[in-house]
């Protein structure tokens, strides 16, 4: 049986990763823009 | 009282706003597509941010948003994890993208590799499999778009489906891969933010411990570690993902389009971004049990739970996220499949002397044709085509080993590859009908592995990698 702690950590961890991914993409875009490397 | 989450008017307004937004943004981004390389491969100079976003957004389809909660509802925690394994295809394609750049610096399509590496018979087999797969994937998404938008807002199926397809066709022909990748970035951000908003609000408004106890009481199977069907589906899904990503021109064309120094890193990061999405979007399916929400149609569990907790605003977020998921995949498939038909069929088989401008016009005509063909199948609501998409698992899985081995080993036996594709596909289909979908892809991948590797070890051949430079 998956424990409550594991299930909770899995869900919260996944959402945190999605949020982190959003920020990462925006930071990467800014870096590419700054270095004129978007395209 | 309406039995949909949004009104038809709101559905129409959202559809209109985002349609105008995509077309306008695509025209702006697509103005860079001045030549054939620009139109087909976005100038072969796509950077890290755009490269990562386009790979991730293309792999997030309406299924990721709608099917992941259904998997969780039916197979519990393993269901979410099973869906998340589809990201492994992106992880493993990362080193392959770098290898593709090295071997075929001037390549256009995945067909270029198969033709030059294995010859005409394998190429024909490959084209047949990938074109059927791509068209059925397109049709499945067009139909899903119409069905989901109708279920969410009551917007007529034919209108929703037609608008989504028309918008994607229009902006793809305006700006080619520049437009596709440019819109994919915005769509990625919207999808990611939407998943976080829905997930966070559902979590904040729920008592996780109490919901867990209720699931444990009413459907303990959903929390169990030993669930054979879910475990089989986990591996089956993973290999289906490998087959889809490794073989399809959607992924190859992006590898060619990205800068050589970026391709591998962008695919790796896109896998990391994709991995948590089925869990972040899927867990609300599990919560349906804990919250005691009655689910008549498991396909709609995600939107129903979101709306029951977030209300009208939740339904709007789901609508927008689903629309972005559909558009980001449909545009990519239209562009990549058109490239494949233009390069591999029109140029290589019909008009080898075609000038770049002729090819560009041909690519536009093929995008329109593919859009019209998809629309026709969707309009007729050919439900059996969806079965064909599921059935394509064994076919695409049969291509995993021929592609991986062909990229890295010069000794691969070509007859072995052809036999592997034919026998593995056939056995996979038999398994699909006689045992079940959850093992068909696995069976095909295993047989393809044994034949490809076995024949190569038994009768190794020699291949000159320089022949790939002809692409």
């Amino acid at each position: 049986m998956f424990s409550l702690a594991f299930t909770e950590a899995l869900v919260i961890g996944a959402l945190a990763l999605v949020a982190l991914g959003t920020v990462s993409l925006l930071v990467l875009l800014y870096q590419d823009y700054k270095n004129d490397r978007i395209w | 009282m309406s039995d949909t989450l949004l009104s038809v008017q709101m559905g129409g307004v959202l559809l209109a706003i985002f349609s105008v937004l995509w077309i306008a943004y695509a025209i702006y981004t697509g103005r860079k597509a001045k030549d054939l390389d620009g139109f087909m491969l976005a100038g072969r100079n796509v950077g890290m941010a755009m490269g990562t976003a386009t790979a991730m957004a293309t792999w997030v389809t309406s299924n990721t948003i709608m099917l992941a909660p259904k998997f969780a509802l039916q197979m519990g925690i393993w269901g979410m994890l099973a869906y998340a394994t589809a990201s492994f295809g992106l992880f493993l394609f990362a080193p392959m993208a770098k290898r593709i750049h090295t071997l075929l610096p001037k390549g256009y399509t995945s067909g270029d590799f198969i033709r030059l590496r294995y010859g005409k018979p394998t190429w024909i087999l490959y084209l047949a499999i990938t074109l059927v797969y791509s068209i059925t994937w397109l049709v499945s998404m067009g139909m899903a778009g119409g069905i989901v938008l109708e279920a969410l807002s009551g917007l007529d199926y034919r209108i929703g489906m037609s608008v989504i397809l028309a918008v994607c066709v229009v902006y793809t022909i305006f700006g080619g891969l520049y437009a596709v990748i440019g819109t994919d970035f915005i769509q990625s951000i919207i999808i990611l933010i939407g998943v976080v908003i829905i997930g966070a609000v559902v979590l904040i408004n729920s008592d996780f411990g109490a919901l867990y106890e209720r699931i444990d009481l009413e459907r303990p199977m959903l929390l169990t570690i030993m669930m054979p069907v879910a475990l089989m589906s986990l591996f089956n899904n993973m290999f289906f993902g490998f087959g889809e990503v490794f073989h399809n021109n959607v992924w190859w064309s992006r590898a060619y389009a990205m800068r050589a120094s970026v391709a591998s890193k962008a695919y790796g990061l896109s896998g990391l971004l994709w991995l948590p999405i089925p869990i972040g979007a899927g867990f609300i399916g599990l919560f349906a049990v804990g919250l005691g929400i009655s689910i008549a149609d498991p396909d709609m569990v995600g939107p129903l739970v979101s709306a029951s907790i977030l209300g009208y605003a939740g339904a709007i977020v789901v609508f927008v996220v689903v629309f972005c998921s559909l558009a980001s995949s449909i545009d990519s498939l239209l562009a990549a499949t058109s490239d494949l038909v233009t390069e591999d069929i029109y140029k290589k088989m019909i008009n080898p002397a075609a000038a770049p401008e002729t090819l560009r016009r041909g690519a536009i005509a093929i995008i329109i044709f593919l859009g019209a063909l998809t629309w026709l199948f969707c309009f007729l609501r050919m439900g059996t085509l969806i079965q064909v998409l599921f059935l394509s698992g064994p076919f695409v899985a049969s291509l995993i080993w021929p592609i991986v081995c062909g990229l890295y080993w010069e000794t691969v036996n070509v007859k072995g590859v052809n036999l592997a594709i034919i026998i593995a596909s056939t056995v996979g289909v038999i398994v699909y009908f006689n045992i079940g979908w959850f093992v068909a892809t696995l069976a095909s991948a295993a047989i393809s592995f044994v034949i490809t590797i076995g024949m190569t070890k038994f009768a190794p051949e020699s291949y000159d990698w320089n022949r790939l430079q002809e692409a």
Side-chain angles (χ1 to χ4, degrees):
Chain A
M1 182 82 79
F2 288 104
S3 67
L4 169 64
F6 174 84
T7 312
E8 209 166 4
L10 180 73
V11 171
I12 294 171
L15 286 172
L17 264 180
V18 177
L20 190 65
T22 318
V23 176
S24 309
L25 269 185
L26 293 170
V27 170
L28 282 173
L29 183 69
Y30 174 71
Q31 280 182 340
D32 280 351
Y33 172 75
K34 210 171 62 175
N35 299 317
D36 197 19
R37 308 272 286 173
I38 290 180
W39 300 105
Chain B
M1 188 181 152
S2 165
D3 56 359
T4 56
L5 303 172
L6 295 172
S7 64
V8 178
Q9 289 79 4
M10 178 53 87
V13 168
L14 289 173
L15 202 57
I17 290 173
F18 281 94
S19 299
V20 171
L21 180 71
W22 299 145
I23 291 174
Y25 183 64
I27 291 171
Y28 170 74
T29 324
R31 72 196 191 288
K32 290 171 176 290
K34 292 187 171 67
D35 55 16
L36 189 66
D37 266 13
F39 188 80
M40 281 189 172
L41 299 172
R44 297 182 190 266
N45 205 28
V46 174
M48 186 71 186
M50 291 288 172
T52 304
T54 189
M56 190 220 79
T58 302
W59 207 214
V60 177
T61 66
S62 57
N63 273 349
T64 320
I65 305 300
M66 305 293 287
L67 213 59
K70 183 183 169 183
F71 264 45
L73 178 71
Q74 294 175 335
M75 290 188 279
I77 292 180
W78 276 122
M80 296 190 294
L81 295 174
Y83 213 104
T85 59
S87 64
F88 295 177
L90 294 174
F91 286 129
L92 292 184
F93 195 71
M96 291 165 65
K98 190 175 180 183
R99 181 81 175 153
I100 289 165
H101 255 287
T102 309
L103 293 178
L104 298 107
K106 301 279 182 210
Y108 274 94
T109 66
S110 46
D112 284 338
F113 168 74
I114 300 287
R115 179 175 51 84
L116 294 168
R117 181 68 184 84
Y118 293 128
K120 205 168 177 181
T122 320
W123 183 44
I124 302 288
L125 266 176
Y126 168 80
L127 284 177
I129 291 174
T130 197
L131 287 176
V132 170
Y133 165 80
S134 298
I135 289 168
T136 49
W137 188 15
L138 263 174
V139 173
S140 77
M141 283 192 293
M143 285 178 66
I147 292 168
V148 171
L149 298 193
E150 185 173 61
L152 286 171
S153 68
L155 198 69
D156 186 80
Y157 163 83
R158 288 162 298 183
I159 295 174
M161 174 273 291
S162 304
V163 171
I164 290 177
L165 283 176
V167 168
C168 291
V169 167
V170 168
Y171 76 68
T172 307
I173 61 177
F174 265 118
L177 200 59
Y178 271 117
V180 169
I181 292 178
T183 49
D184 277 358
F185 187 88
I186 310 274
Q187 287 154 356
S188 296
I189 298 293
I190 294 174
I191 292 167
L192 292 171
I193 291 176
V195 169
V196 172
I197 288 176
I198 295 170
V201 176
V202 169
L203 271 187
I204 290 165
N205 289 289
S206 315
D207 180 345
F208 208 110
L211 289 172
Y212 178 90
E213 278 174 22
R214 187 161 175 188
I215 298 166
D216 188 19
L217 199 69
E218 293 185 7
R219 301 266 307 274
M221 278 298 284
L222 299 180
L223 300 172
T224 190
I225 293 177
M226 286 309 294
M227 194 178 189
V229 171
L231 284 168
M232 290 301 277
S233 80
L234 184 144
F235 288 104
N236 194 75
N237 218 40
M238 190 163 70
F239 276 90
F240 197 169
F242 292 162
E244 287 178 288
V245 175
F246 293 179
H247 99 278
N248 199 273
N249 193 48
V250 162
W251 312 102
W252 283 68
S253 66
R254 274 157 181 70
Y256 292 128
M258 292 176 205
R259 273 197 293 278
S261 59
V262 156
S264 180
K265 285 182 274 185
Y267 269 105
L269 186 58
S270 70
L272 202 58
L273 293 184
W274 198 93
L275 174 76
I277 293 177
I279 301 169
F283 84 93
I284 52 178
L286 206 59
F287 271 32
V289 179
L291 291 165
I293 298 171
S294 167
I295 305 292
D297 177 8
D299 285 325
M300 288 299 290
V301 61
L304 282 174
V305 176
S306 306
S308 75
I309 294 175
L310 282 80
Y312 203 67
I316 290 178
V317 176
V318 172
F319 187 100
V320 172
V321 169
V322 169
F323 187 22
C324 289
S325 316
L326 286 163
S328 64
S329 305
I330 292 173
D331 61 2
S332 303
L333 254 179
L334 281 171
T337 310
S338 149
D339 290 354
L340 196 69
V341 176
T342 307
E343 276 292 317
D344 287 71
I345 296 179
Y346 179 68
K347 188 180 174 193
K348 300 291 184 322
M349 295 182 188
I350 300 168
N351 186 6
E357 195 44 45
T358 311
L359 291 174
R360 181 175 169 151
R361 282 200 301 272
I364 290 173
I366 292 161
I367 291 169
I368 295 170
F369 171 75
L370 284 171
L373 187 69
T374 306
W375 180 84
L376 183 65
F377 284 136
C378 291
F379 187 81
L380 298 172
R381 292 188 88 146
M382 296 179 68
T384 48
L385 275 167
I386 305 300
Q387 294 305 319
V388 177
L389 180 67
F390 294 141
L391 193 54
S392 68
F395 289 94
V396 299
S398 74
L399 293 167
I400 294 174
W401 300 105
I403 287 171
V404 176
C405 296
L407 274 171
Y408 291 96
W409 292 353
E410 58 185 7
T411 53
V412 180
N413 183 296
V414 176
K415 275 188 188 140
V417 161
N418 292 336
L419 278 175
I421 296 171
I422 294 167
I423 296 174
S425 299
T426 309
V427 173
V429 170
I430 293 169
V431 169
Y432 180 95
F433 286 111
N434 290 285
I435 300 176
W437 63 270
F438 51 89
V439 280
T441 304
L442 265 181
S444 170
I447 289 166
S448 172
F449 171 81
V450 170
I451 298 174
T452 306
I453 308 278
M455 289 281 283
T456 298
K457 292 293 169 197
F458 181 70
E461 293 179 5
S462 176
Y463 182 77
D464 177 9
W465 293 116
N466 289 324
R467 285 171 60 191
L468 292 172
Q469 302 284 329
E470 290 169 31

